[in-house]
Amino acid sequence: MLRKPIPVGFCVRTLCDEVGGFLLNGDFVEGTAADSKKEFADKYKPHTAVTLRVTKPYHHKSKIIIGDAYFGSLSTAIALAKVGTYCVMNVKLASAGFPK
């Protein structure tokens, strides 16, 4: 893995319960080729696709997801709203669609 002092380990994007501190769901990062074959990857950018995958058990249940800047974008918010899940997320780099 890049940016690690010793290139051994793995990366998982996770969904956690903030109150109880429970890990609810996760998605292993397997590389660009493998990740592009996963669910939602054919329709959305990687950050939106992984958000939809880890939140899938909560779709159509009117849940609110709070996420960090990696996951935050207007396209992610729209995709989640389409499946009845809502979000509060920092938008740092993926600001397409917002007024300048």
Side-chain angles (χ1 to χ4, degrees):
M1 294 183 69
L2 298 175
R3 300 186 316 229
K4 289 186 73 173
I6 300 171
V8 177
F10 59 92
C11 181
V12 183
R13 296 190 180 109
T14 60
L15 178 67
C16 298
D17 175 75
E18 185 267 332
V19 176
F22 300 107
L23 174 64
L24 301 172
N25 203 354
D27 186 73
F28 282 97
V29 177
E30 299 179 69
T32 306
D35 286 350
S36 68
K37 295 177 181 153
K38 292 181 180 179
E39 187 175 19
F40 302 114
D42 59 334
K43 200 171 178 185
Y44 297 102
K45 290 184 178 182
H47 68 278
T48 300
V50 73
T51 304
L52 289 169
R53 283 194 298 274
V54 299
T55 60
K56 190 173 179 181
Y58 304 96
H59 292 178
H60 304 291
K61 295 184 180 175
S62 298
K63 298 293 182 184
I64 299 173
I65 305 299
I66 300 171
D68 68 11
Y70 172 81
F71 303 97
S73 71
L74 183 59
S75 61
T76 300
I78 291 168
L80 285 169
K82 286 180 181 178
V83 295
T85 305
Y86 305 97
C87 64
V88 176
M89 297 185 176
N90 295 323
V91 177
K92 191 173 180 182
L93 300 174
S95 60
F98 285 98
K100 299 224 179 230

